[in-house]
Amino acid sequence: MTNVIEQAAERLWQAHAAAQPCDPVRDLIGTSDVDAAYAIQQRNTDRWIAQGRRLVGRKIGLTSKAVQKQLGVDQPDFGMLFADMCVADGEAIDITRILQPKIEAEIALVIERPLNHAKHTIADIINATAYALPALEIVGSRVAGWDIRLTDTIADNASSGLFVLGSRPVKLADFDIVNCGMLMERRGDQVSIGAGAACLGNPLNAAVWLADVMARVGNPLQPGDIIMTGALGPMVVAAAGDVFDAQIEGLGRVSALFSE
């Protein structure tokens, strides 16, 4: 299996390096071997860190019940966030940085206390969270045509691309994380709507899941870590020249501009 892990990791690594989508990796590891998929993700994470990239947090994917049903799973997945994936609010983005980009609005949490229990509660997450930010995730897939199953997306760092953080921190006590409405527009046209409840019923549920998993694998969340908790509404294909603005009730606005 080690050779298969290396082969799959190399396929995704080369797709990223060449900016050329590759075949799915499920031909190597199947569609249900989650441990193998995370081993592939970790192999490339280790290579990135060895090259000097700085790990700054995690993203949670598959938080939509509809998407889980589509992929035949009953839980989320996670991927790594590196510092060079973070884009400033409104900063021009070269769309060639992401393969097959799509965008979705999310709530980001920034952690200020370690989350190292075997089992966490929502209270643990609240107590450990410094603040929340409105955010946009620009997802991308190294797999051609987004032809993915669960193991493909996990292996491919949960289809991570870039992420945009708003710049006005808000305490959890100062907005309704479950019932907050989200509206995302492309140059003034509505393209996605949703609410906090669209993310596993409550974005804090997603954070509890992540904290438990990271503690279980021996890499618990630490102060300063960013958590992208998951989509609040449908993702939208992004193209050069697009300008997206997302407004999350009580949390504020965040925007992404793709250069021509």
Side-chain angles (χ1 to χ4, degrees):
M1 177 58 85
T2 301
N3 288 340
V4 170
I5 299 298
E6 292 287 344
Q7 186 178 347
E10 184 65 19
R11 181 183 296 180
L12 292 165
W13 183 270
Q14 291 300 329
H16 177 89
Q20 184 66 44
C22 63
D23 291 335
V25 298
R26 61 183 182 270
D27 65 320
L28 298 171
I29 62 170
T31 58
S32 60
D33 193 341
V34 170
D35 289 343
Y38 278 118
I40 294 164
Q41 182 190 120
Q42 188 61 49
R43 172 70 181 111
N44 283 334
T45 296
D46 292 342
R47 292 175 76 176
W48 283 126
I49 291 173
Q51 291 194 1
R53 295 182 84 182
R54 181 169 69 94
L55 194 60
V56 294
R58 308 289 186 278
K59 65 152 285 185
I60 308 171
L62 307 181
T63 54
S64 159
K65 292 299 183 183
V67 176
Q68 287 185 4
K69 184 177 180 181
Q70 178 185 345
L71 293 182
V73 298
D74 60 359
Q75 64 177 356
D77 68 351
F78 70 85
M80 306 296 173
L81 299 178
F82 294 99
D84 58 7
M85 293 167 59
C86 188
V87 179
D89 188 6
E91 177 185 349
I93 300 167
D94 179 357
I95 203 164
T96 63
R97 292 182 63 188
I98 317 101
L99 285 174
Q100 308 177 107
K102 300 181 181 182
I103 190 168
E104 56 192 26
E106 305 193 7
I107 294 170
L109 305 179
V110 179
I111 301 303
E112 64 179 350
R113 295 189 181 95
L115 287 163
N116 48 21
H117 301 297
K119 175 60 184 167
H120 296 84
T121 68
I122 282 182
D124 291 326
I125 302 299
I126 293 170
N127 289 334
T129 299
Y131 53 85
L133 293 168
L136 293 165
E137 185 184 1
I138 303 161
V139 295
S141 181
R142 271 57 62 179
V143 177
W146 277 92
D147 178 18
I148 60 172
R149 301 296 183 269
L150 177 63
T151 50
D152 297 307
T153 185
I154 290 173
D156 189 25
N157 198 28
S159 303
S160 296
L162 304 173
F163 63 102
V164 186
L165 298 177
S167 53
R168 188 177 71 91
V170 178
K171 295 289 187 181
L172 289 178
D174 293 338
F175 77 109
D176 186 341
I177 196 170
V178 175
N179 295 309
C180 59
M182 181 279 294
L183 169 65
M184 185 166 69
E185 298 176 323
R186 179 198 288 122
R187 293 193 179 276
D189 294 328
Q190 176 182 307
V191 292
S192 182
I193 60 172
C199 178
L200 286 186
N202 180 344
L204 297 179
N205 291 336
V208 166
W209 175 86
L210 179 68
D212 288 354
V213 170
M214 298 317 301
R216 186 165 65 245
V217 300
N219 195 10
L221 296 168
Q222 298 297 317
D225 278 348
I226 301 162
I227 302 175
M228 295 286 288
T229 56
L232 304 185
M235 68 173 64
V236 179
V237 173
D242 281 346
V243 178
F244 291 93
D245 289 285
Q247 177 74 40
I248 301 174
E249 183 182 7
L251 197 53
R253 181 178 293 273
V254 62
S255 62
L257 163 65
F258 293 92
S259 55
E260 295 284 358

